Amino acid sequence: MKNIQFLQIDFNLITDTKITSNEFRIYAYLLSLYNDNKKCSYPSLETIANKLNISLTTVKKSIKRLAANGVIIVTTKNGKKGDRKS
């Protein structure tokens, strides 16, 4: 049997018409990887693209839009790009 994981997502985000379906999927994926101890999610942009079967360009644009809308906070750690905090 597959391990099933449940996520708690704010209803306002589910019904937010400013968020595209890809942005919602990316947010949900980041949330599924959230590390409570480190208070962040940190998959690479390439990992997000591969796991969700979305182009890297779309992932980059979606991450920027999610950050601009205040849904996620993007940070870098040790000068590395691709770290995400949600």
Side-chain angles (χ1 to χ4, degrees):
M1 179 183 265
K2 244 183 174 181
N3 185 13
I4 298 174
Q5 181 177 4
F6 293 93
L7 302 173
Q8 188 171 15
I9 297 176
D10 185 334
F11 181 75
N12 293 321
L13 184 63
I14 294 170
T15 58
D16 189 344
T17 57
K18 294 177 289 201
I19 303 295
T20 68
S21 58
N22 279 334
E23 290 165 1
F24 184 81
R25 289 180 64 217
I26 290 168
Y27 175 78
Y29 180 66
L30 290 173
L31 188 59
S32 75
L33 299 176
Y34 187 77
N35 182 318
D36 220 17
N37 293 330
K38 295 183 180 184
K39 304 291 184 207
C40 65
S41 296
Y42 44 87
S44 70
L45 297 174
E46 292 80 8
T47 297
I48 297 168
N50 290 332
K51 291 289 187 180
L52 299 180
N53 196 28
I54 300 173
S55 76
L56 185 56
T57 301
T58 299
V59 170
K60 289 178 182 180
K61 287 179 184 178
S62 296
I63 294 288
K64 284 182 183 178
R65 283 182 37 90
L66 287 168
N69 286 322
V71 177
I72 63 171
I73 298 169
V74 177
T75 61
T76 57
K77 185 176 178 182
N78 300 329
K80 294 180 185 176
K81 291 187 178 183
D83 294 339
R84 302 285 173 256
K85 182 176 182 180
S86 62

